[in-house]
Amino acid sequence: MSANPTAAKATQTCDAVVVGAGVAGLAETYQLRKKGLKVQGIEAGSDVGGTWYWNRYPGCRFDSQTEIYQFWFSQELHDAWEGPRERFGAQPDNERWLQFAANFLDLKPNYKFDTRVESAHYDESTGRWLVTTDKGDKIDTQFFVSCTGMLSAPMTDLFKGQKTFKGQLLTTARWPREKVDLAGKKVGVVGVGATGIQVIQTIAPVVGSMEVFVLNPNYITPMRNPKYNDADRAEFKKRFAETQKQVNSTYAGFDYDFTNGKWHDQTPEERHKVYERLWADGSLSLWLAAYTEIFFFKEASEEISAFVRGKMQERLKSRPDLWETLIPSNHGFGIHRVPLESGYLEAFLQPNVTAVNCHKTGITEIVPEGVKTSDGKVHEFDVLILATGFDAGSGALTRMDIRGRDGRSLKEEWGKDIRTTLGLQVHGYPNLFTTGAPLAPAAALCNMTTCLQQQAGWIADTIGYMRDKGLKVIEPTKETEDAWVEHHDGISNSSLFAKSNSWYMGSNVPGKPRRLLSYPGGVHTYKKACEDIKESGYKGFALS
Ligand code: NAP
C-alpha cells in the first residue's frame, strides 16, 4: 500500500533552517554544521547553484574575475578545485564549481530540493521559528537563516496580456534547461541591463531578426577575457591567503581598489590616463577602482561619463541615429550597475537587429503576435525574451510570509520602509539572519562571494558565540537598527545613487519604498562594523 500523499507530515526539529543552496547558503550550511548544529537546508531549485542554477540564458557569465569569485572559508576546497579556465567564467563552469564544492563538502544531504519556503513564524514563548514549505513540511527551528540571494525574485509579470502570447515567452532568470533553438527566429528582447546585454550580444549572430526594447540604456565597459593556463591556476592557488585578505580589504570586495589618489588633486589629462588604463583592463575596475568621487560629485561624474559615452559613440560612429537610444544621458557612469560586454553595441550594426526606443514608443501590452507599442504598432515575434530584472534585495524575503514578534509581517513592514541592522538582522524578528539583504554591501556594491561569505561567517560566529554562552535568542535593539539606517542613509543620500532611478534604489518595482539597497560605505568599513559588534560582545543586541 502506498503512503497517503495528502497525510500531514510530522513536525521536524532542527537548530537552523538555511534557505538557499547558492554561494551564501552553501557557505552557511557548511559553517553551521561544522559548529555542530543540525542544519536543514531548503532550496526551490532541483539542485545547488543559486544564481548559477537559475540563470542559464545564452551568454550568462561573471562580471567578477573567476579567481576572486571563490570560496575562501576552506583552503582545502580551493586547492581541490581544478581552478578557473578563463578570467570571467561562463555559467556552465560556475555551476560546475558550485556542484564540486557541494559534493566536496558533502552538503547536498543537508538539503530538501524542489522545495520552497512558504512561511516562517516566530513564537515568542519558545524563542523558535516554525517554517512551512510548499511540500507540506513543518520545521521547528531555533535559527532561520535566509540565503535567498539578492537577485533571485525575478520581475516576470510585467506586461498586460503576457499570457496571450502565442510564441515562446522566456524569462532569463527562469531559462529552460533544455536547449532553446533561436536559429533563424524572429526574436524580441526586453531589457538592456547586465543580463539583456549578455543575451543580445550572444544571440545576435544566430537569430533571423531581433528587436530590442530599450528604456534607459546603460554605460558599458568591454570585457577582456583571456583563457587561463595551468601556470595561472597554480599561481592563484599559491596566492590563496593573500587574495583572501585582499578581497576583504577593498571598497567593493574585488582585488582592485581606489588607489589613484584624489580626483580633485589631478588634472583632467592625468585622470584621462587613469580612465584609459582601466578601460583597457577590461574589468569592472573603471567603475570600482577609478575615483570614489564619481559617486558623489557631479563634475567627477560628468567627466567619466563623457569619457565612456565617447567610447560608445566611437563604436557606433557609423550609426549616430542609434546614440540617443543606446547611449545613456540621464544618469552618470557607475550610478547604475555597469555591465561588461563583448560586441554588444556591434550587434546593433547588423542589418537584422533593431533598437526600439521605449521613451518614444513604449510597450503598452503583449498580444498573441508579439509586442504592441504606444504608436499602435505590433512587433511580431516567434520568441520573446524578458530580461527585465529582479525585485532586488528584499523581494526573496517578502515573497515568503515571515512573521516576527507579535505576528508582525516583514512584507507589510518593508512595504512601508525597508530597514535592517547591517543587512544581517531585523529588529522585531529575533533569530532571523539574512545574507544579501538590504543595507549591506552584499545587496549590490560588492563582488558577491566576498560579501556573502563575510556575512555567512559573521552569522556562524554569532550563533557559535550564543551556543558557547548558553544564549538562545538574539535581536538587534531598535536603537541599533535606527543608528545603522541613519548611517546608511547619511552616505547614500549624499551620493548620486540617490538622485537616480534604478533597481539600486528599488525604483524598478512599483510601490517599493525608495532607499539605496546596498550599503555604499565600502566592504572594508562594513566588515569592521561587523567585527566591532562581535568584539563588543554584541553591544546593541538583546541576548537572552
Ligand atoms: P536590470 O538591470 O534591472 O535590467 C532590467 C531591464 O529591463 C532594464 O533595462 C529595464 O529598463 C528593462 N525594463 C523593465 N521594464 C521595462 C519596460 N516596461 N519596458 C522596457 N524595458 C523595461 O536586470 P538584469 O539585467 O537582470 O540585471 C540585474 C543585476 O543582476 C545586474 O545589475 C547585476 O548586478 C546582476 N547581473 C550580473 C551579471 C554578471 O555578473 N555578469 C549578469 C547579469 C546580471 P530600465 O532600466 O530603464 O528600467
Side-chain angles (χ1 to χ4, degrees), residues 223-269:
M223 174 184 281
R224 199 174 57 80
N225 193 16
K227 301 278 179 239
Y228 288 143
N229 59 27
D230 286 345
D232 296 321
R233 285 185 280 274
E235 185 62 23
F236 297 141
K237 285 194 199 298
K238 212 167 78 192
R239 292 211 313 251
F240 177 86
E242 192 190 324
T243 313
Q244 178 195 47
K245 192 163 162 223
Q246 203 175 2
V247 294
N248 277 295
S249 59
T250 59
Y251 175 85
F254 284 77
D255 55 350
Y256 41 69
D257 208 354
F258 296 100
T259 52
N260 300 302
K262 290 195 164 54
W263 188 91
H264 291 97
D265 291 348
Q266 295 170 32
T267 63
E269 292 70 32

Side-chain angles (χ1 to χ4, degrees), residues 40-186:
Q40 179 61 64
I42 300 180
E43 166 59 54
S46 304
D47 212 326
V48 300
T51 284
W52 305 108
Y53 170 88
W54 294 105
N55 292 272
R56 44 184 71 247
Y57 58 81
C60 181
R61 66 174 63 241
F62 292 142
D63 277 352
S64 297
Q65 305 95 288
T66 320
E67 65 272 23
I68 63 160
Y69 199 102
Q70 293 293 325
F71 280 130
W72 301 108
F73 58 80
S74 163
Q75 182 159 9
E76 212 191 343
L77 167 64
H78 191 267
D79 286 347
W81 171 236
E82 64 189 40
R85 298 179 184 200
E86 55 186 337
R87 192 179 185 208
F88 297 100
Q91 180 272 337
D93 278 346
N94 308 341
E95 191 183 23
R96 211 163 48 81
W97 161 64
L98 284 163
Q99 281 284 346
F100 176 84
N103 289 327
F104 184 82
L105 302 170
D106 193 27
L107 295 171
K108 289 191 186 182
N110 278 87
Y111 276 88
K112 288 178 194 285
F113 292 99
D114 295 308
T115 304
R116 196 171 275 281
V117 169
E118 286 191 330
S119 69
H121 293 183
Y122 181 69
D123 180 345
E124 209 171 344
S125 69
T126 59
R128 296 178 68 85
W129 288 84
L130 182 67
V131 178
T132 67
T133 74
D134 62 352
K135 293 283 157 36
D137 302 290
K138 291 195 285 298
I139 309 166
D140 171 78
T141 179
Q142 185 180 2
F143 300 105
F144 182 60
V145 188
S146 171
C147 298
T148 42
M150 42 85 72
L151 291 161
S152 60
M155 299 290 289
T156 46
D157 255 341
L158 276 178
F159 302 104
K160 187 180 145 199
Q162 234 171 263
K163 290 199 173 66
T164 67
F165 181 57
K166 282 188 310 202
Q168 192 175 15
L169 183 81
L170 296 168
T171 307
T172 46
R174 293 290 178 267
W175 199 266
R177 293 185 83 82
E178 59 277 11
K179 189 171 165 11
V180 178
D181 185 11
L182 296 171
K185 300 261 170 70
K186 276 192 285 184

Side-chain angles (χ1 to χ4, degrees), residues 51-52 55 57 59-64 69 88-89 94 150-151 155 158-159 172-173 189-198 212-218 223 284 287 330-331 336-340 356 358-359 361-364 386-392 443-446 448 501-504 507-508:
T51 284
W52 305 108
N55 292 272
Y57 58 81
C60 181
R61 66 174 63 241
F62 292 142
D63 277 352
S64 297
Y69 199 102
F88 297 100
N94 308 341
M150 42 85 72
L151 291 161
M155 299 290 289
L158 276 178
F159 302 104
T172 46
V189 179
V190 186
V192 291
T195 302
I197 283 176
Q198 290 184 331
V212 179
F213 295 86
V214 184
L215 194 51
N216 295 295
N218 278 300
M223 174 184 281
L284 294 174
W287 176 33
N330 65 0
H331 65 276
H336 300 180
R337 163 68 148 79
V338 177
L340 291 184
V356 179
C358 290
H359 282 295
T361 53
I363 300 172
T364 52
L386 300 184
T388 40
F390 302 85
D391 181 354
L445 291 168
C446 187
M448 292 311 292
N501 288 323
S502 75
W503 69 258
Y504 276 14
S507 47
N508 63 326

